[in-house]
Each structure stands twice: as structure tokens, then as C-alpha cells.
Amino acid sequence: MAPKTKQAVTEQPHGYEFGGPLGAFGVSFGLPVLVYLFAFSCNDVSGCPAPSFLSPKTLSLDRLKLEVGWPEDGIRGLASWKASGALAAYYLLNLILYAILPATEVEGTVLRSGGRLKYRFNALYSNVTTLVALAAGTVVQGAEFPVWTFISDNYVQLLTASILLSYGIATFVYVRSFSVKAGNKDNRELAAGGHTGNMLYDWFIGRELNPRVTIPLIGEVDLKEWCELRPGMMGWIIMNCSWCAQQYRNYGYVTDSVVCITVVQALYILDSWLNEAAILTTMDMTTDGFGMMLSFGDLVWVPFVYSLQTRYLSVYPRSLGPAGLLAMTSLIGLGFYIFRSANSQKNTFRTNPDDPSVAHLQYIKTKTGSKLLTTGWWGVARHINYLGDWIQAWPYCLPTGLAGYQILSAGASPAEGAFVMADGRQVVQGDAKGWGVLVTYFYIVYFGVLLVHRDRRDDLKCFRKYGEDWNKYKKIVRWRIIPGIY
């Protein structure tokens, strides 16, 4: 009887998520516009935000273009072969390092077909090699190291190239997914919720669960896993470092605020590389197909949106001081402790339930054979790790303070409290004070919404899998993310 119950639960219809085709359209084509808006509205030409946004009555298209640094070539100037070639070289380097550096081979979770895919893990070696090369170049050439200046000078063009690449990959895997056949020996599967028949939605959500390609001289690459932890996450660190270099070129020094954000985010990313195998149990890997949603998120959203705070500080060099640094490191420490210890407890229980650190924990055994923890970290909230993750997001944004600045032209009368850039321009907060938080604190709001949405999706997935056992579990572990609140 148990197998029948399991089959009946797991084969329930999935239906649409993210608002269906309309939501897929909005995310797919609205988010790129939002990233461009961030890039132009908070700039090093006129301010953050551009002055015209603060005075709508004087707003004109021509004036706005001057204030935000719109390319002289118009829309054509948003892209360049130089930036596209550089981005292609960066991805090729990542592929070469993936292929030639030592790696650990790990089996993934059991697929619906009963098979398992094997994964080649060496993100730590690959990305640390890249970081060492960048550090060596910086030691020799300082803030003028060509990688840093190239990113600053071609930021928008690199953004465009990344967006087009994410669209291209999403389209490639969508078309290729139609070659997936039932019972194939390569363990290729369609994502349970990714083949609705609506072309736009399936392209967005991802038809194939784990698309893989074989590249000459490189070998087989699992596109989803490779994109999750390599070019985008590494690009996040590279972007932050480039803005630290930009701040130094602007002022001749680097502030504790921009260093703080760069270091704590680098540690967060380093942790994901050290625990690369943990990605195999995430919803991204076990449930979601690989489509535009993940390709854009991995290759565009992570490096360009998550680095907005350091980009802001490269122009407005705010300092934290000892007390501020202590507060930020304490907050990041608390968040990381909750996040990592909760995830470690879950992984230990899954792989070795007799381990003394988890052997005492209580659980519910479901009809599928799975065990759901009801004590320890996972008895506090069903996604207590999300709370730790969200707490870590605050030190990414708080160092920017009550953000917003205006840039005065060189030769203007000295302004009180102004920061003077190397080219003589002055940076003051003025009327822009507070308006910049729409950019620099966006991450906290977005990430909170993301975690709540992910919790809701996981709740539905678990009900499909465990049925009434999941409802029984929720009566014991009442809180979703924040104990006593949500």
C-alpha cells in the first residue's frame, strides 16, 4: 500500500507558479529593465538618484540622458563587441578551470526514474585560482589593474552581454529539452512543473530538470549546477573588488564600509564553494528546471544586483568606524551561525542519523520513508535556515546608511561635508539623502520576499510528496521562518 500512496502524492498536478504565463513574461522582461534602471539612476555622473528623478516637473528625456550617462550611440551603445568578447573569455576560463583542476565526484539525489546523476565538484579550486590571479595583478598594478578599470568603463555593456547570454542559454536548453525521451540511459528528465505546454512559461521555468552538454576538450557540463556556483557567484566577488578599486581611484583610499561588505559577501560565497555538494538537495536542483528564471538569476541578477551597495560606496565613501564594524560583524556572525549550523544539522541527519550530534533528535517518519525533524533547529521553524540567510543580508545594506548623493561639478563652491573626487568633482548628500535607499536596500526587501515565496513553493512541494504526513508535521512545527512571528 505504501508505494501506491507515494505515487498518488507525487503525481498531483503542479499547475502554474509565479503568476503563470503573465508572471513569467513580467519577470523575464521586466527584471532586465529594473537592472538597467539601477545602473543608470544611481550613477557617477550626476547622483544617486539622478537629480531629475527628484524634480519631476523639470524632467525631460534629453536632460535625463545627460544625467544618467546614456551612451552617445543610443541603444546601440548599450552593447559592444569588446565587452561581449571579454565576457566570453571569462566564461571560457571558467570552463577550462572546471575541466583541468582536481575535482570530487559526487552522486546527486535519486531522480523520479530511480537513477542518479554524477557531479564534478571543484568550484573552490577553480574560483580560488581566479582570485589568486586577480590578487597578483592588483599587487603589481594596484587599482589601475586592467580588469578593474575595464569593468568600471564597460559596466553597462557587460550587463547587456550577460542578459543576452542568459536569454541564449535559456533558449538553447528549452529547444534541446524536446529531445528528452522517457527511459533514456542518460537519466535526462523533464522538470515536473516545467512542461505545461505554454512556450513562454516553460522557457521561463525550465523544461528539463538537469540539462547537460558535452563540450569539445572540456567534457560534460551540468549547466544548472555549473551556473549556480561559478561564473555568477565569482562575478559577484569580482564586481565588489572592482568597485573597491574604483573608490580608491576616486579618492585615494578605501573605506571600512566597502571593505566590510566585500569581505562578508566573499565569506558567504566561499562557504557555498566549501559546501558545494549541499547544492544537490536544494529546490533549484531537485525541483526546478533550468530555464530563464535560473539562468538570468545566476548570470545577471547575482553579480549585478547583489553588488549595488559596493557600487554606491565607490562614489559616496561612507565610513563605519569601530562601533559600526563591530555591529556589522556581530550581525553577520549571528546570521551565519543560524544558517550554517541548521544546514549542517540537516545534512548530518540525512547522511548519518546515528551521529551523536543528531542521534537524540525527534522526527516523524513519513509513508515515503523520509524523516522530518521536529526538534533541534528544524523544530524551531520549518525554514530556520532562511532566517539566518536573511539576517546576513542586513550587513550588506546597512553600511550605506541613509543613502543618496548628488555630484557637483568641478570648480563649484566648496560644500560642507563634501567628498572631493580625484577629478575635482564634489559628492554631497543634499536633497538626495534618503532616496538612495531604494537602490542600496533593495536587496533586503527582495531577498525577504524571495525567501517567503520559496517557503511557500517548498510547502506545496512537500505536501505533494508527503501528503497528510506533511500536515501532521506542520502542526508540530508551526512557524515557517521566524519563530513566534511567521
Side-chain angles (χ1 to χ4, degrees), residues 232-267:
M233 295 288 268
M234 184 68 235
W236 184 5
I237 293 181
I238 291 174
M239 283 290 180
N240 281 340
C241 291
S242 74
W243 298 126
C244 287
Q246 180 65 48
Q247 187 186 77
Y248 188 85
R249 291 196 299 273
N250 283 338
Y251 299 102
Y253 57 84
V254 178
T255 58
D256 54 9
S257 58
V258 76
V259 171
C260 175
I261 294 175
T262 300
V263 170
V264 297
Q265 289 184 344
L267 291 175

PDB file of all heavy atoms in Angstrom, residues 232-267:
ATOM      1  N   GLY A 232      28.546  33.365 -12.018  1.00  0.00           N
ATOM      2  CA  GLY A 232      27.793  34.419 -11.355  1.00  0.00           C
ATOM      3  C   GLY A 232      28.301  34.733  -9.961  1.00  0.00           C
ATOM      4  O   GLY A 232      28.489  35.897  -9.599  1.00  0.00           O
ATOM      5  N   MET A 233      28.522  33.704  -9.161  1.00  0.00           N
ATOM      6  CA  MET A 233      28.998  33.906  -7.789  1.00  0.00           C
ATOM      7  C   MET A 233      30.410  34.491  -7.791  1.00  0.00           C
ATOM      8  O   MET A 233      30.733  35.387  -7.001  1.00  0.00           O
ATOM      9  CB  MET A 233      28.974  32.583  -7.026  1.00  0.00           C
ATOM     10  CG  MET A 233      27.591  32.007  -6.831  1.00  0.00           C
ATOM     11  SD  MET A 233      26.597  32.923  -5.641  1.00  0.00           S
ATOM     12  CE  MET A 233      26.967  32.036  -4.141  1.00  0.00           C
ATOM     13  N   MET A 234      31.257  33.979  -8.696  1.00  0.00           N
ATOM     14  CA  MET A 234      32.596  34.543  -8.830  1.00  0.00           C
ATOM     15  C   MET A 234      32.503  35.975  -9.335  1.00  0.00           C
ATOM     16  O   MET A 234      33.239  36.868  -8.885  1.00  0.00           O
ATOM     17  CB  MET A 234      33.401  33.683  -9.817  1.00  0.00           C
ATOM     18  CG  MET A 234      34.848  34.108  -9.988  1.00  0.00           C
ATOM     19  SD  MET A 234      35.835  33.818  -8.516  1.00  0.00           S
ATOM     20  CE  MET A 234      36.476  35.449  -8.247  1.00  0.00           C
ATOM     21  N   GLY A 235      31.564  36.222 -10.257  1.00  0.00           N
ATOM     22  CA  GLY A 235      31.362  37.569 -10.769  1.00  0.00           C
ATOM     23  C   GLY A 235      30.930  38.540  -9.701  1.00  0.00           C
ATOM     24  O   GLY A 235      31.265  39.734  -9.751  1.00  0.00           O
ATOM     25  N   TRP A 236      30.189  38.074  -8.716  1.00  0.00           N
ATOM     26  CA  TRP A 236      29.768  38.906  -7.579  1.00  0.00           C
ATOM     27  C   TRP A 236      30.990  39.438  -6.841  1.00  0.00           C
ATOM     28  O   TRP A 236      31.084  40.638  -6.549  1.00  0.00           O
ATOM     29  CB  TRP A 236      28.880  38.058  -6.680  1.00  0.00           C
ATOM     30  CG  TRP A 236      28.269  38.733  -5.498  1.00  0.00           C
ATOM     31  CD1 TRP A 236      28.336  40.066  -5.159  1.00  0.00           C
ATOM     32  CD2 TRP A 236      27.474  38.110  -4.482  1.00  0.00           C
ATOM     33  NE1 TRP A 236      27.637  40.289  -3.997  1.00  0.00           N
ATOM     34  CE2 TRP A 236      27.109  39.109  -3.571  1.00  0.00           C
ATOM     35  CE3 TRP A 236      27.048  36.807  -4.256  1.00  0.00           C
ATOM     36  CZ2 TRP A 236      26.323  38.838  -2.433  1.00  0.00           C
ATOM     37  CZ3 TRP A 236      26.266  36.529  -3.139  1.00  0.00           C
ATOM     38  CH2 TRP A 236      25.909  37.530  -2.245  1.00  0.00           C
ATOM     39  N   ILE A 237      31.938  38.553  -6.549  1.00  0.00           N
ATOM     40  CA  ILE A 237      33.169  38.986  -5.870  1.00  0.00           C
ATOM     41  C   ILE A 237      33.964  39.940  -6.755  1.00  0.00           C
ATOM     42  O   ILE A 237      34.475  40.973  -6.292  1.00  0.00           O
ATOM     43  CB  ILE A 237      34.027  37.770  -5.486  1.00  0.00           C
ATOM     44  CG1 ILE A 237      33.344  36.936  -4.413  1.00  0.00           C
ATOM     45  CG2 ILE A 237      35.410  38.231  -4.984  1.00  0.00           C
ATOM     46  CD1 ILE A 237      34.147  35.727  -3.957  1.00  0.00           C
ATOM     47  N   ILE A 238      34.070  39.599  -8.039  1.00  0.00           N
ATOM     48  CA  ILE A 238      34.841  40.442  -8.958  1.00  0.00           C
ATOM     49  C   ILE A 238      34.242  41.843  -9.043  1.00  0.00           C
ATOM     50  O   ILE A 238      34.967  42.847  -9.033  1.00  0.00           O
ATOM     51  CB  ILE A 238      34.907  39.785 -10.351  1.00  0.00           C
ATOM     52  CG1 ILE A 238      35.770  38.513 -10.293  1.00  0.00           C
ATOM     53  CG2 ILE A 238      35.472  40.753 -11.384  1.00  0.00           C
ATOM     54  CD1 ILE A 238      35.787  37.724 -11.586  1.00  0.00           C
ATOM     55  N   MET A 239      32.918  41.928  -9.117  1.00  0.00           N
ATOM     56  CA  MET A 239      32.258  43.236  -9.152  1.00  0.00           C
ATOM     57  C   MET A 239      32.578  44.038  -7.900  1.00  0.00           C
ATOM     58  O   MET A 239      32.916  45.232  -7.968  1.00  0.00           O
ATOM     59  CB  MET A 239      30.743  43.054  -9.288  1.00  0.00           C
ATOM     60  CG  MET A 239      30.286  42.703 -10.681  1.00  0.00           C
ATOM     61  SD  MET A 239      30.486  44.087 -11.808  1.00  0.00           S
ATOM     62  CE  MET A 239      29.885  43.359 -13.324  1.00  0.00           C
ATOM     63  N   ASN A 240      32.460  43.414  -6.752  1.00  0.00           N
ATOM     64  CA  ASN A 240      32.754  44.119  -5.497  1.00  0.00           C
ATOM     65  C   ASN A 240      34.184  44.640  -5.470  1.00  0.00           C
ATOM     66  O   ASN A 240      34.443  45.777  -5.062  1.00  0.00           O
ATOM     67  CB  ASN A 240      32.519  43.191  -4.303  1.00  0.00           C
ATOM     68  CG  ASN A 240      31.049  43.048  -3.944  1.00  0.00           C
ATOM     69  OD1 ASN A 240      30.220  43.875  -4.316  1.00  0.00           O
ATOM     70  ND2 ASN A 240      30.710  41.999  -3.216  1.00  0.00           N
ATOM     71  N   CYS A 241      35.112  43.799  -5.891  1.00  0.00           N
ATOM     72  CA  CYS A 241      36.522  44.215  -5.901  1.00  0.00           C
ATOM     73  C   CYS A 241      36.755  45.360  -6.880  1.00  0.00           C
ATOM     74  O   CYS A 241      37.553  46.269  -6.614  1.00  0.00           O
ATOM     75  CB  CYS A 241      37.414  43.026  -6.247  1.00  0.00           C
ATOM     76  SG  CYS A 241      37.480  41.745  -4.977  1.00  0.00           S
ATOM     77  N   SER A 242      36.048  45.321  -8.020  1.00  0.00           N
ATOM     78  CA  SER A 242      36.220  46.397  -8.998  1.00  0.00           C
ATOM     79  C   SER A 242      35.726  47.723  -8.443  1.00  0.00           C
ATOM     80  O   SER A 242      36.301  48.780  -8.726  1.00  0.00           O
ATOM     81  CB  SER A 242      35.492  46.059 -10.298  1.00  0.00           C
ATOM     82  OG  SER A 242      34.091  46.191 -10.167  1.00  0.00           O
ATOM     83  N   TRP A 243      34.667  47.687  -7.603  1.00  0.00           N
ATOM     84  CA  TRP A 243      34.155  48.937  -7.020  1.00  0.00           C
ATOM     85  C   TRP A 243      35.050  49.425  -5.886  1.00  0.00           C
ATOM     86  O   TRP A 243      35.160  50.628  -5.651  1.00  0.00           O
ATOM     87  CB  TRP A 243      32.712  48.761  -6.562  1.00  0.00           C
ATOM     88  CG  TRP A 243      31.787  48.427  -7.697  1.00  0.00           C
ATOM     89  CD1 TRP A 243      30.939  47.370  -7.787  1.00  0.00           C
ATOM     90  CD2 TRP A 243      31.654  49.144  -8.939  1.00  0.00           C
ATOM     91  NE1 TRP A 243      30.282  47.377  -8.989  1.00  0.00           N
ATOM     92  CE2 TRP A 243      30.698  48.452  -9.712  1.00  0.00           C
ATOM     93  CE3 TRP A 243      32.247  50.289  -9.469  1.00  0.00           C
ATOM     94  CZ2 TRP A 243      30.323  48.885 -10.995  1.00  0.00           C
ATOM     95  CZ3 TRP A 243      31.881  50.710 -10.735  1.00  0.00           C
ATOM     96  CH2 TRP A 243      30.935  50.021 -11.479  1.00  0.00           C
ATOM     97  N   CYS A 244      35.714  48.504  -5.193  1.00  0.00           N
ATOM     98  CA  CYS A 244      36.724  48.923  -4.204  1.00  0.00           C
ATOM     99  C   CYS A 244      37.855  49.668  -4.915  1.00  0.00           C
ATOM    100  O   CYS A 244      38.322  50.714  -4.445  1.00  0.00           O
ATOM    101  CB  CYS A 244      37.289  47.705  -3.467  1.00  0.00           C
ATOM    102  SG  CYS A 244      36.170  46.935  -2.281  1.00  0.00           S
ATOM    103  N   ALA A 245      38.280  49.118  -6.060  1.00  0.00           N
ATOM    104  CA  ALA A 245      39.338  49.764  -6.842  1.00  0.00           C
ATOM    105  C   ALA A 245      38.868  51.115  -7.366  1.00  0.00           C
ATOM    106  O   ALA A 245      39.635  52.088  -7.393  1.00  0.00           O
ATOM    107  CB  ALA A 245      39.757  48.862  -7.995  1.00  0.00           C
ATOM    108  N   GLN A 246      37.605  51.197  -7.769  1.00  0.00           N
ATOM    109  CA  GLN A 246      37.053  52.458  -8.257  1.00  0.00           C
ATOM    110  C   GLN A 246      37.036  53.508  -7.156  1.00  0.00           C
ATOM    111  O   GLN A 246      37.356  54.681  -7.392  1.00  0.00           O
ATOM    112  CB  GLN A 246      35.635  52.243  -8.781  1.00  0.00           C
ATOM    113  CG  GLN A 246      34.960  53.498  -9.328  1.00  0.00           C
ATOM    114  CD  GLN A 246      35.640  54.043 -10.571  1.00  0.00           C
ATOM    115  OE1 GLN A 246      35.922  53.287 -11.497  1.00  0.00           O
ATOM    116  NE2 GLN A 246      35.919  55.333 -10.600  1.00  0.00           N
ATOM    117  N   GLN A 247      36.688  53.102  -5.938  1.00  0.00           N
ATOM    118  CA  GLN A 247      36.704  54.046  -4.824  1.00  0.00           C
ATOM    119  C   GLN A 247      38.120  54.571  -4.591  1.00  0.00           C
ATOM    120  O   GLN A 247      38.312  55.764  -4.332  1.00  0.00           O
ATOM    121  CB  GLN A 247      36.174  53.386  -3.548  1.00  0.00           C
ATOM    122  CG  GLN A 247      35.997  54.371  -2.393  1.00  0.00           C
ATOM    123  CD  GLN A 247      35.622  53.699  -1.083  1.00  0.00           C
ATOM    124  OE1 GLN A 247      36.469  53.109  -0.423  1.00  0.00           O
ATOM    125  NE2 GLN A 247      34.351  53.805  -0.711  1.00  0.00           N
ATOM    126  N   TYR A 248      39.102  53.687  -4.692  1.00  0.00           N
ATOM    127  CA  TYR A 248      40.483  54.117  -4.499  1.00  0.00           C
ATOM    128  C   TYR A 248      40.900  55.094  -5.595  1.00  0.00           C
ATOM    129  O   TYR A 248      41.585  56.088  -5.322  1.00  0.00           O
ATOM    130  CB  TYR A 248      41.418  52.905  -4.483  1.00  0.00           C
ATOM    131  CG  TYR A 248      42.837  53.261  -4.107  1.00  0.00           C
ATOM    132  CD1 TYR A 248      43.215  53.342  -2.768  1.00  0.00           C
ATOM    133  CD2 TYR A 248      43.785  53.556  -5.087  1.00  0.00           C
ATOM    134  CE1 TYR A 248      44.518  53.692  -2.414  1.00  0.00           C
ATOM    135  CE2 TYR A 248      45.074  53.903  -4.747  1.00  0.00           C
ATOM    136  CZ  TYR A 248      45.434  53.973  -3.406  1.00  0.00           C
ATOM    137  OH  TYR A 248      46.722  54.345  -3.065  1.00  0.00           O
ATOM    138  N   ARG A 249      40.494  54.832  -6.831  1.00  0.00           N
ATOM    139  CA  ARG A 249      40.837  55.751  -7.920  1.00  0.00           C
ATOM    140  C   ARG A 249      40.138  57.094  -7.744  1.00  0.00           C
ATOM    141  O   ARG A 249      40.682  58.143  -8.106  1.00  0.00           O
ATOM    142  CB  ARG A 249      40.457  55.139  -9.276  1.00  0.00           C
ATOM    143  CG  ARG A 249      41.300  53.943  -9.675  1.00  0.00           C
ATOM    144  CD  ARG A 249      41.168  53.613 -11.158  1.00  0.00           C
ATOM    145  NE  ARG A 249      39.792  53.286 -11.526  1.00  0.00           N
ATOM    146  CZ  ARG A 249      39.263  52.072 -11.454  1.00  0.00           C
ATOM    147  NH1 ARG A 249      39.997  51.066 -10.990  1.00  0.00           N
ATOM    148  NH2 ARG A 249      38.028  51.852 -11.828  1.00  0.00           N
ATOM    149  N   ASN A 250      38.954  57.066  -7.159  1.00  0.00           N
ATOM    150  CA  ASN A 250      38.207  58.310  -6.946  1.00  0.00           C
ATOM    151  C   ASN A 250      38.787  59.159  -5.827  1.00  0.00           C
ATOM    152  O   ASN A 250      38.831  60.396  -5.920  1.00  0.00           O
ATOM    153  CB  ASN A 250      36.740  58.014  -6.629  1.00  0.00           C
ATOM    154  CG  ASN A 250      35.930  57.631  -7.851  1.00  0.00           C
ATOM    155  OD1 ASN A 250      36.308  57.953  -8.981  1.00  0.00           O
ATOM    156  ND2 ASN A 250      34.820  56.928  -7.643  1.00  0.00           N
ATOM    157  N   TYR A 251      39.232  58.497  -4.739  1.00  0.00           N
ATOM    158  CA  TYR A 251      39.598  59.249  -3.533  1.00  0.00           C
ATOM    159  C   TYR A 251      40.995  58.985  -2.992  1.00  0.00           C
ATOM    160  O   TYR A 251      41.442  59.693  -2.090  1.00  0.00           O
ATOM    161  CB  TYR A 251      38.574  58.958  -2.423  1.00  0.00           C
ATOM    162  CG  TYR A 251      37.170  59.377  -2.803  1.00  0.00           C
ATOM    163  CD1 TYR A 251      36.230  58.439  -3.213  1.00  0.00           C
ATOM    164  CD2 TYR A 251      36.786  60.715  -2.784  1.00  0.00           C
ATOM    165  CE1 TYR A 251      34.942  58.817  -3.577  1.00  0.00           C
ATOM    166  CE2 TYR A 251      35.512  61.118  -3.145  1.00  0.00           C
ATOM    167  CZ  TYR A 251      34.597  60.160  -3.543  1.00  0.00           C
ATOM    168  OH  TYR A 251      33.329  60.550  -3.908  1.00  0.00           O
ATOM    169  N   GLY A 252      41.648  57.945  -3.483  1.00  0.00           N
ATOM    170  CA  GLY A 252      42.986  57.648  -2.977  1.00  0.00           C
ATOM    171  C   GLY A 252      42.985  56.814  -1.721  1.00  0.00           C
ATOM    172  O   GLY A 252      44.025  56.603  -1.101  1.00  0.00           O
ATOM    173  N   TYR A 253      41.831  56.309  -1.317  1.00  0.00           N
ATOM    174  CA  TYR A 253      41.731  55.430  -0.146  1.00  0.00           C
ATOM    175  C   TYR A 253      40.506  54.534  -0.302  1.00  0.00           C
ATOM    176  O   TYR A 253      39.655  54.757  -1.176  1.00  0.00           O
ATOM    177  CB  TYR A 253      41.628  56.234   1.155  1.00  0.00           C
ATOM    178  CG  TYR A 253      40.456  57.203   1.203  1.00  0.00           C
ATOM    179  CD1 TYR A 253      39.181  56.778   1.587  1.00  0.00           C
ATOM    180  CD2 TYR A 253      40.621  58.550   0.869  1.00  0.00           C
ATOM    181  CE1 TYR A 253      38.109  57.667   1.637  1.00  0.00           C
ATOM    182  CE2 TYR A 253      39.557  59.445   0.913  1.00  0.00           C
ATOM    183  CZ  TYR A 253      38.310  58.995   1.302  1.00  0.00           C
ATOM    184  OH  TYR A 253      37.241  59.865   1.341  1.00  0.00           O
ATOM    185  N   VAL A 254      40.432  53.518   0.551  1.00  0.00           N
ATOM    186  CA  VAL A 254      39.297  52.593   0.564  1.00  0.00           C
ATOM    187  C   VAL A 254      38.696  52.607   1.955  1.00  0.00           C
ATOM    188  O   VAL A 254      39.423  52.472   2.947  1.00  0.00           O
ATOM    189  CB  VAL A 254      39.738  51.153   0.185  1.00  0.00           C
ATOM    190  CG1 VAL A 254      38.560  50.198   0.252  1.00  0.00           C
ATOM    191  CG2 VAL A 254      40.353  51.127  -1.202  1.00  0.00           C
ATOM    192  N   THR A 255      37.385  52.782   2.065  1.00  0.00           N
ATOM    193  CA  THR A 255      36.735  52.902   3.368  1.00  0.00           C
ATOM    194  C   THR A 255      36.427  51.541   3.988  1.00  0.00           C
ATOM    195  O   THR A 255      36.323  50.530   3.294  1.00  0.00           O
ATOM    196  CB  THR A 255      35.422  53.694   3.249  1.00  0.00           C
ATOM    197  OG1 THR A 255      34.561  53.024   2.318  1.00  0.00           O
ATOM    198  CG2 THR A 255      35.686  55.104   2.770  1.00  0.00           C
ATOM    199  N   ASP A 256      36.243  51.546   5.309  1.00  0.00           N
ATOM    200  CA  ASP A 256      35.924  50.309   6.012  1.00  0.00           C
ATOM    201  C   ASP A 256      34.558  49.751   5.591  1.00  0.00           C
ATOM    202  O   ASP A 256      34.340  48.540   5.613  1.00  0.00           O
ATOM    203  CB  ASP A 256      35.961  50.513   7.525  1.00  0.00           C
ATOM    204  CG  ASP A 256      35.068  51.665   8.000  1.00  0.00           C
ATOM    205  OD1 ASP A 256      34.296  52.200   7.184  1.00  0.00           O
ATOM    206  OD2 ASP A 256      35.152  52.034   9.184  1.00  0.00           O
ATOM    207  N   SER A 257      33.630  50.610   5.157  1.00  0.00           N
ATOM    208  CA  SER A 257      32.300  50.146   4.780  1.00  0.00           C
ATOM    209  C   SER A 257      32.346  49.264   3.530  1.00  0.00           C
ATOM    210  O   SER A 257      31.735  48.187   3.493  1.00  0.00           O
ATOM    211  CB  SER A 257      31.365  51.334   4.548  1.00  0.00           C
ATOM    212  OG  SER A 257      31.884  52.198   3.544  1.00  0.00           O
ATOM    213  N   VAL A 258      33.053  49.718   2.507  1.00  0.00           N
ATOM    214  CA  VAL A 258      33.099  48.939   1.266  1.00  0.00           C
ATOM    215  C   VAL A 258      33.924  47.668   1.457  1.00  0.00           C
ATOM    216  O   VAL A 258      33.618  46.620   0.878  1.00  0.00           O
ATOM    217  CB  VAL A 258      33.650  49.803   0.103  1.00  0.00           C
ATOM    218  CG1 VAL A 258      35.160  49.984   0.200  1.00  0.00           C
ATOM    219  CG2 VAL A 258      33.266  49.213  -1.243  1.00  0.00           C
ATOM    220  N   VAL A 259      34.957  47.743   2.304  1.00  0.00           N
ATOM    221  CA  VAL A 259      35.744  46.544   2.609  1.00  0.00           C
ATOM    222  C   VAL A 259      34.894  45.544   3.399  1.00  0.00           C
ATOM    223  O   VAL A 259      34.929  44.331   3.139  1.00  0.00           O
ATOM    224  CB  VAL A 259      37.007  46.917   3.400  1.00  0.00           C
ATOM    225  CG1 VAL A 259      37.714  45.658   3.909  1.00  0.00           C
ATOM    226  CG2 VAL A 259      37.957  47.737   2.539  1.00  0.00           C
ATOM    227  N   CYS A 260      34.110  46.055   4.353  1.00  0.00           N
ATOM    228  CA  CYS A 260      33.253  45.195   5.171  1.00  0.00           C
ATOM    229  C   CYS A 260      32.288  44.406   4.300  1.00  0.00           C
ATOM    230  O   CYS A 260      32.180  43.181   4.422  1.00  0.00           O
ATOM    231  CB  CYS A 260      32.487  46.039   6.190  1.00  0.00           C
ATOM    232  SG  CYS A 260      31.280  45.107   7.174  1.00  0.00           S
ATOM    233  N   ILE A 261      31.583  45.089   3.406  1.00  0.00           N
ATOM    234  CA  ILE A 261      30.616  44.413   2.549  1.00  0.00           C
ATOM    235  C   ILE A 261      31.317  43.404   1.648  1.00  0.00           C
ATOM    236  O   ILE A 261      30.862  42.265   1.486  1.00  0.00           O
ATOM    237  CB  ILE A 261      29.838  45.434   1.696  1.00  0.00           C
ATOM    238  CG1 ILE A 261      28.977  46.323   2.593  1.00  0.00           C
ATOM    239  CG2 ILE A 261      28.963  44.725   0.672  1.00  0.00           C
ATOM    240  CD1 ILE A 261      28.269  47.435   1.842  1.00  0.00           C
ATOM    241  N   THR A 262      32.432  43.807   1.058  1.00  0.00           N
ATOM    242  CA  THR A 262      33.159  42.913   0.152  1.00  0.00           C
ATOM    243  C   THR A 262      33.624  41.657   0.866  1.00  0.00           C
ATOM    244  O   THR A 262      33.499  40.544   0.338  1.00  0.00           O
ATOM    245  CB  THR A 262      34.373  43.652  -0.460  1.00  0.00           C
ATOM    246  OG1 THR A 262      33.901  44.787  -1.198  1.00  0.00           O
ATOM    247  CG2 THR A 262      35.149  42.744  -1.388  1.00  0.00           C
ATOM    248  N   VAL A 263      34.137  41.807   2.079  1.00  0.00           N
ATOM    249  CA  VAL A 263      34.658  40.659   2.822  1.00  0.00           C
ATOM    250  C   VAL A 263      33.537  39.730   3.269  1.00  0.00           C
ATOM    251  O   VAL A 263      33.626  38.506   3.090  1.00  0.00           O
ATOM    252  CB  VAL A 263      35.485  41.135   4.027  1.00  0.00           C
ATOM    253  CG1 VAL A 263      35.812  39.964   4.947  1.00  0.00           C
ATOM    254  CG2 VAL A 263      36.764  41.805   3.563  1.00  0.00           C
ATOM    255  N   VAL A 264      32.461  40.283   3.868  1.00  0.00           N
ATOM    256  CA  VAL A 264      31.404  39.405   4.379  1.00  0.00           C
ATOM    257  C   VAL A 264      30.684  38.686   3.233  1.00  0.00           C
ATOM    258  O   VAL A 264      30.303  37.515   3.369  1.00  0.00           O
ATOM    259  CB  VAL A 264      30.394  40.173   5.255  1.00  0.00           C
ATOM    260  CG1 VAL A 264      31.073  40.736   6.485  1.00  0.00           C
ATOM    261  CG2 VAL A 264      29.668  41.262   4.492  1.00  0.00           C
ATOM    262  N   GLN A 265      30.527  39.348   2.094  1.00  0.00           N
ATOM    263  CA  GLN A 265      29.900  38.676   0.964  1.00  0.00           C
ATOM    264  C   GLN A 265      30.834  37.617   0.387  1.00  0.00           C
ATOM    265  O   GLN A 265      30.373  36.544  -0.030  1.00  0.00           O
ATOM    266  CB  GLN A 265      29.499  39.692  -0.104  1.00  0.00           C
ATOM    267  CG  GLN A 265      28.323  40.569   0.327  1.00  0.00           C
ATOM    268  CD  GLN A 265      27.863  41.517  -0.766  1.00  0.00           C
ATOM    269  OE1 GLN A 265      28.564  41.757  -1.750  1.00  0.00           O
ATOM    270  NE2 GLN A 265      26.676  42.078  -0.591  1.00  0.00           N
ATOM    271  N   ALA A 266      32.126  37.903   0.365  1.00  0.00           N
ATOM    272  CA  ALA A 266      33.093  36.915  -0.119  1.00  0.00           C
ATOM    273  C   ALA A 266      33.098  35.672   0.774  1.00  0.00           C
ATOM    274  O   ALA A 266      33.188  34.540   0.275  1.00  0.00           O
ATOM    275  CB  ALA A 266      34.485  37.526  -0.182  1.00  0.00           C
ATOM    276  N   LEU A 267      32.977  35.870   2.086  1.00  0.00           N
ATOM    277  CA  LEU A 267      32.933  34.735   3.007  1.00  0.00           C
ATOM    278  C   LEU A 267      31.679  33.903   2.793  1.00  0.00           C
ATOM    279  O   LEU A 267      31.703  32.666   2.869  1.00  0.00           O
ATOM    280  CB  LEU A 267      33.010  35.229   4.455  1.00  0.00           C
ATOM    281  CG  LEU A 267      34.354  35.818   4.887  1.00  0.00           C
ATOM    282  CD1 LEU A 267      34.260  36.384   6.305  1.00  0.00           C
ATOM    283  CD2 LEU A 267      35.458  34.767   4.814  1.00  0.00           C
TER     284      LEU A 267
END
